[in-house]
Amino acid sequence: MSAFLYGVSLQWKLDIRSKSLLVTCYIVPLIFFALMGGIFTSITPEMKHTLIQSMVVMGVSMGAFIGLPPSLIETYGSDIKKVYKANGVPLYLGLVSMFISAFVHLMIMCVIIFLIAPIAFDATLPTNIPLFFAALAIYIAVSLSIGSILGLVVKNQAKLTMIAQLIFLPSIMLSGIMFPINLLPKALEVIGKIFPASWGYQLILNNGFQFKNLWYLLLVIFVALMLCGLLLKRQKSN
């Protein structure tokens, strides 16, 4: 247990110094929040009631799909994996420590948005704050599980960037955070439901923590955990 905690602590320190994580988990999401928060609430004043939820979905999606996978490639696509094997360290330790570290960083970013939005843009706080953060934690975990699969499957950094963008952009554009999802053509609305962002957004809205918004996210994380386990076994045999 002490070795596991040391690994998580070490990964946390490495991530703090990581420029990639700093950009994807803090700088870009917070700049987007600072710019678009004012635009959204000026064009559509009613947006202040869902501004916090919209901004955290965007930030979490970016950190999970674009920020986490490159770190996994650096570990499992390099000699670091051989070091793990040579020292008898379980291969899953790297994935778990990066997952936990990224989870904490994304939660910190969301808390910053949560605290600043009411002051800067007169955004409305969630009616049930503990339930909001519980739903947010679930959405972060689901998003990171998908990012973990990307980092374990894709070996090439250029391909990873392209695939991550193909997941990230539809997640944002078709999730309902930019405009009501019912304004989309039916086909795009159905496609948007494939991505967890639309379900996560509904889950963290006021009175949204219901099984109808939760079941798909639970299914995704269950499948993702199974796939990660299979991918790590394949990594071990290679």
Side-chain angles (χ1 to χ4, degrees):
M1 186 63 181
S2 60
F4 172 75
L5 293 176
Y6 174 76
V8 173
S9 174
L10 179 60
Q11 187 62 48
W12 165 263
K13 294 176 182 177
L14 291 172
D15 285 343
I16 288 177
R17 300 175 183 177
S18 170
K19 292 181 180 178
S20 174
L21 184 136
L22 180 66
V23 169
T24 56
C25 289
Y26 290 103
I27 294 179
V28 173
L30 293 177
I31 289 177
F32 182 87
F33 162 65
L35 294 176
M36 299 307 294
I39 295 173
F40 284 162
T41 52
S42 296
I43 296 176
T44 310
E46 294 79 10
M47 188 75 177
K48 68 179 182 180
H49 299 300
T50 58
L51 181 66
I52 293 175
Q53 291 86 343
S54 298
M55 294 298 105
V56 298
V57 166
M58 183 274 170
V60 169
S61 297
M62 170 162 280
F65 302 147
I66 300 177
L68 176 63
S71 298
L72 290 170
I73 285 184
E74 290 176 6
T75 297
Y76 293 100
S78 67
D79 291 336
I80 297 178
K81 183 176 72 172
K82 297 178 181 179
V83 175
Y84 274 44
K85 291 182 177 180
N87 290 276
V89 178
L91 282 180
Y92 68 80
L93 181 63
L95 173 60
V96 173
S97 61
M98 281 183 253
F99 186 101
I100 294 175
S101 178
F103 182 96
V104 175
H105 282 294
L106 289 175
M107 186 60 77
I108 290 173
M109 179 269 295
C110 291
V111 170
I112 293 172
I113 292 175
F114 178 86
L115 295 175
I116 293 178
I119 300 172
F121 306 114
D122 195 29
T124 304
L125 289 173
T127 54
N128 190 325
I129 294 175
L131 209 57
F132 166 80
F133 279 104
L136 178 59
I138 293 171
Y139 176 61
I140 293 175
V142 172
S143 299
L144 288 174
S145 68
I146 296 174
S148 298
I149 294 174
L150 289 177
L152 293 174
V153 170
V154 185
K155 306 299 182 183
N156 182 277
Q157 184 65 53
K159 289 183 179 179
L160 175 63
T161 301
M162 180 180 66
I163 294 172
Q165 290 289 350
L166 289 175
I167 296 175
F168 169 70
L169 291 176
S171 293
I172 299 306
M173 299 303 297
L174 305 179
S175 62
I177 70 170
M178 307 286 285
F179 41 79
I181 197 169
N182 54 17
L183 296 179
L184 293 170
K186 190 63 179 179
L188 291 179
E189 186 177 343
V190 172
I191 293 172
K193 286 292 183 180
I194 298 173
F195 300 94
S198 61
W199 297 84
Y201 178 61
Q202 294 299 320
L203 189 70
I204 63 178
L205 290 174
N206 290 333
N207 303 315
F209 199 97
Q210 302 176 37
F211 186 72
K212 66 178 183 179
N213 298 323
L214 182 60
W215 71 269
Y216 185 77
L217 297 175
L218 296 178
L219 176 63
V220 169
I221 198 168
F222 175 77
V223 173
L225 288 174
M226 296 298 103
L227 286 175
C228 286
L230 292 173
L231 291 169
L232 286 174
K233 283 186 178 180
R234 192 175 70 176
Q235 289 274 356
K236 188 176 181 180
S237 60
N238 290 341

